[in-house]
Amino acid sequence: MFPGRCAGGPVASGSLSARIPGQLASGASAGEGDPLKPRRSEMAHPRRLPPIHALLAFESAARLGGFAQAAAELCVTPSAVSHRIRQLESQLGELLFDRSPTGVRLSAAGQRYLGKVHEAFDKLAPLARDEEPPELRLRVGAPPTFARNLLIPRLPDFYRHRPDIEIEVAVEAPMQDKPERRDIDIRFGSGRFDERMSIKLFEDETVALTTPTYVSKRALVQAQDLKRADLLRSPLLPWRPWFVAAGLSWPEPARGPSFTDLGILLEAAASGLGVALCTRRVAERWTESGQLQPLFGIGVPAASTYYALVQHEHAQRPEVAAFLAWLRAAFA
């Protein structure tokens, strides 16, 4: 038995605690020896825990290597992440990050504290297993070429950061008059679509492309040689701006195969049907594999590119904000 503590087992006859149940032999009042009640010192000085949102900001910034990355993951602003971490540093009385004009990195104190935070999170994790987290679903509509060649290859990176968000990708024909609206819609154009907020994903330029075999067969050495070529058309990307940049006063082609999807247009060129006009980012898969090659070193800033469309009132939903932030970073 420890001095000053009530032992719960049989008490010797004649002792004070036997005569007065609930009171210590030392004469302390009832309750101080009760293990279910807080001690007076704990009641006077309650334990001060760090705010959970500050711990989450610290752990995310340490894991991802920066405040901006943590902000994207937590769906807050970088200044909010910075404020939360400073709040935590103020409470701890030491700097957790070394800050410089080029970025931030964990300090020695931050490295020590990160281990403790991970240990605490590991202990808390089982508490959340009895309750299923809310399911976050996000419906994304996209043209087939963007979905297949630009979005899907990058989605594993998104799931590494946000495995809790379930993505449903729906393919939409690019020339539909009234396509179905989803949480986020990817559209190809100049940015003027409807009343929704439109976010440009990247700048691009248009180039003429065909197969190396077709170049040799038609002896395509300079832009004027395209008069010997079959020009493949698409209503999405007219030839006329490229002609002007190439110094050709030719009108828009009125004849020849025409395609409403850029991926099919590129497949037609890769099959040897002729020369296609397309944007560099869209054509990456074909040019990197050597199926197609840009011609004559001529590129023209694209009047049309890909935009993400979202309702203003939906942009702050956690899953929508997280996906939009990831899209910007993925295509930066």
Side-chain angles (χ1 to χ4, degrees):
M1 181 184 299
F2 293 99
R5 295 289 300 276
C6 183
V11 181
S13 175
S15 68
L16 182 60
S17 53
R19 294 193 300 273
I20 309 177
Q23 189 171 0
L24 296 177
S26 62
S29 61
E32 282 193 322
D34 188 345
L36 299 181
K37 293 186 178 181
R39 300 178 183 177
R40 287 182 176 176
S41 60
E42 292 176 344
M43 295 174 66
H45 303 286
R47 181 178 297 173
R48 187 184 177 198
L49 298 175
I52 188 66
H53 68 272
L55 292 176
L56 290 171
F58 165 70
E59 191 279 336
S60 180
R63 172 167 43 83
L64 299 177
F67 292 179
Q69 296 91 320
E73 180 177 73
L74 299 174
C75 301
V76 297
T77 63
S79 61
V81 170
S82 178
H83 173 75
R84 294 174 185 183
I85 291 175
R86 287 193 181 278
Q87 181 183 11
L88 186 59
E89 290 174 328
S90 177
Q91 183 172 342
L92 297 174
E94 52 188 352
L95 293 177
L96 300 175
F97 288 92
D98 293 326
R99 295 160 173 85
S100 71
T102 58
V104 298
R105 65 177 184 177
L106 278 175
S107 65
Q111 292 174 0
R112 292 193 302 270
Y113 194 63
L114 181 61
K116 297 177 182 178
V117 170
H118 281 160
E119 183 180 347
F121 282 1
D122 289 342
K123 291 180 179 179
L124 288 173
L127 300 179
R129 290 174 188 159
D130 294 333
E131 182 179 344
E132 287 293 325
E135 194 173 65
L136 296 177
R137 291 179 178 270
L138 188 65
R139 301 189 311 149
V140 179
T145 298
F146 181 91
R148 182 183 299 111
N149 298 315
L150 296 176
L151 178 60
I152 300 302
R154 291 171 169 83
L155 267 186
D157 176 69
F158 176 77
Y159 276 116
R160 277 193 291 271
H161 294 90
R162 295 303 303 266
D164 57 317
I165 300 177
E166 184 174 320
I167 305 294
E168 174 191 304
V169 178
V171 173
E172 298 283 2
M175 300 298 290
Q176 282 190 42
D177 290 335
K178 293 183 179 180
E180 181 182 344
R181 292 193 177 192
R182 292 174 170 83
D183 299 317
I184 297 175
D185 285 300
I186 309 300
R187 295 283 183 267
F188 185 83
S190 61
R192 297 183 294 273
F193 300 96
D194 50 44
E195 80 287 353
R196 287 177 292 177
M197 177 173 62
S198 65
I199 301 166
K200 182 184 285 189
L201 298 184
F202 51 82
E203 301 284 352
D204 212 338
E205 67 174 0
T206 55
V207 291
L209 306 113
T210 192
T211 65
T213 301
Y214 195 90
V215 170
S216 176
K217 179 180 177 182
R218 297 298 176 97
L220 303 180
V221 178
Q222 53 188 350
Q224 291 87 339
D225 296 336
L226 287 182
K227 64 179 177 291
R228 298 191 292 268
D230 301 297
L231 300 183
L232 307 180
R233 301 176 298 142
S234 173
L236 298 172
L237 288 170
W239 272 94
R240 179 69 181 148
W242 190 92
F243 287 160
V244 172
L248 303 174
S249 58
W250 298 353
E252 186 68 26
R255 300 185 63 184
S258 180
F259 306 90
T260 59
D261 176 74
L262 297 180
I264 297 177
L265 170 71
L266 292 168
E267 284 295 338
S271 299
L273 286 182
V275 179
L277 186 74
C278 197
T279 60
R280 286 189 185 274
R281 294 291 290 268
V282 174
E284 276 178 357
R285 196 193 82 182
W286 287 266
T287 56
E288 289 177 357
S289 67
Q291 291 177 278
L292 296 175
Q293 67 179 60
L295 299 178
F296 318 125
I298 300 172
V300 181
S304 295
T305 186
Y306 287 101
Y307 290 78
L309 274 60
V310 63
Q311 294 280 8
H312 289 268
E313 61 270 24
H314 294 167
Q316 298 306 315
R317 283 168 43 192
E319 66 274 25
V320 173
F323 193 76
L324 288 176
W326 173 78
L327 276 178
R328 291 190 187 99
F331 292 104

